[in-house]
Amino acid sequence: ASKTDGLYTKKYNIIHHTNQPTMMVSFVISLFLISSLTSFYSTHALNIVIAGGTGKVGRLLSSTLHQQQQNKEDDNNNNTNNSKITILCRNAFLASTPTRVSGDFGWLGESFLNQNYSIRLRDWDGGDLLDIVGCDWMGWQDDVLPDADVIVNLVGGYTQQRTMACERLVRESLARCKKPNVQHILMSMDDEDLKISLKKKRAKECEDMLIANCLKVACLRAELNDVQRACDKIMDVIVKYKSNQ
């Protein structure tokens, strides 16, 4: 079914006045509308979901988003731009401990989360229902996806689990996201860094999956360990998306 099924357009009655407004009144009205729209766009909050956001790129990206939000709040002297930043991780408890207790799971740390307080962690199944490690993963779809504006996929590993996680995100977002134009962003390593043909194939499978099923897609590549470049590319897409809303 088309994603536009069930939508309808509302008809508005247009009242025609015999006395046209003067050019000055029209000019004032135009300025008011422009000012109102500018204010709306500058204060519009984005709901950003980052899957696999406990790695190096996710740490930099989420803290950058938080800092950008705080700078705008300081400039506006209000809290109207409170974007929600949710990181989907396989074990939120281990990701938020004061010190890292396991190298098998991503970790941000208690101090990082206290400093970047607009970031919240949410357990999810990671696409693999046979390997659940979080304590509170049930219902993550209904918790974070309905109001999502941007979904960033940073799940790494390039194993079959990455493909499953990508499919899970696509399937659940199509079923639950209220907005038809949700921006999907997938970050992968360059083929030169992936090296192994199987990893290259899996990276391409995830990109093809997004392109075939989602309306707004950005499939990005970055060099291994070039964390700043990867973050910059993602931020460019988010900024462009927000400016077009």
Side-chain angles (χ1 to χ4, degrees):
S2 171
K3 295 184 179 180
T4 57
D5 287 353
L7 298 180
Y8 63 92
T9 57
K10 180 181 284 187
K11 295 182 178 179
Y12 294 91
N13 294 322
I14 300 176
I15 301 175
H16 298 279
H17 296 278
T18 55
N19 296 324
Q20 298 296 326
T22 64
M23 292 180 62
M24 180 60 70
V25 174
S26 298
F27 178 73
V28 172
I29 293 175
S30 297
L31 286 180
F32 174 78
L33 291 175
I34 292 173
S35 176
S36 298
L37 289 173
T38 301
S39 177
F40 171 78
Y41 288 130
S42 64
T43 60
H44 175 60
L46 290 182
N47 290 324
I48 302 173
V49 179
I50 307 174
T54 54
K56 293 180 180 180
V57 177
R59 172 184 287 267
L60 180 59
L61 175 62
S62 58
S63 61
T64 300
L65 288 167
H66 171 82
Q67 188 58 53
Q68 184 184 72
Q69 170 181 304
Q70 300 313 306
N71 290 340
K72 289 183 179 180
E73 287 181 4
D74 292 340
D75 292 340
N76 297 330
N77 195 29
N78 57 45
N79 294 321
T80 58
N81 198 47
N82 287 331
S83 297
K84 292 176 61 177
I85 306 166
T86 304
I87 293 179
L88 296 178
C89 53
R90 302 192 68 201
N91 195 307
F93 174 77
L94 293 180
S96 60
T97 54
T99 58
R100 191 165 194 167
V101 296
S102 173
D104 295 329
F105 303 101
W107 178 75
L108 293 174
E110 183 180 46
S111 61
F112 174 86
L113 294 171
N114 288 338
Q115 182 178 0
N116 301 279
Y117 48 84
S118 64
I119 301 171
R120 70 163 182 151
L121 304 182
R122 183 64 168 92
D123 283 335
W124 77 310
D125 52 60
D128 190 353
L129 296 176
L130 299 179
D131 188 25
I132 302 297
V133 293
C135 299
D136 189 27
W137 62 274
M138 294 185 66
W140 68 267
Q141 311 97 312
D142 296 317
D143 187 20
V144 304
L145 292 181
D147 295 321
D149 294 290
V150 179
I151 300 176
V152 184
N153 187 350
L154 299 178
V155 177
Y158 299 92
T159 63
Q160 184 61 29
Q161 195 273 328
R162 185 180 197 260
T163 305
M164 294 168 64
C166 184
E167 180 180 359
R168 186 79 160 138
L169 282 173
V170 170
R171 187 182 302 277
E172 296 295 345
S173 65
L174 290 175
R176 288 173 169 78
C177 288
K178 297 177 183 177
K179 301 177 179 66
N181 63 333
V182 173
Q183 176 68 64
H184 288 262
I185 304 174
L186 175 64
M187 174 57 71
S188 304
M189 287 193 297
D190 288 337
D191 280 349
E192 292 79 2
D193 293 316
L194 289 173
K195 297 180 181 179
I196 302 174
S197 59
L198 182 58
K199 290 184 177 181
K200 295 179 182 179
K201 178 183 177 182
R202 285 172 175 157
K204 185 65 165 55
E205 285 177 349
C206 291
E207 292 173 340
D208 291 343
M209 191 186 307
L210 281 178
I211 294 171
N213 292 281
C214 304
L215 288 178
K216 294 185 69 66
V217 175
C219 296
L220 310 175
R221 295 290 186 106
E223 295 181 3
L224 177 65
N225 295 325
D226 194 348
V227 176
Q228 185 64 60
R229 180 59 176 158
C231 179
D232 290 344
K233 285 187 174 183
I234 297 171
M235 286 299 301
D236 286 344
V237 176
I238 294 176
V239 170
K240 183 178 179 180
Y241 173 82
K242 184 174 183 178
S243 67
N244 291 330
Q245 297 307 296

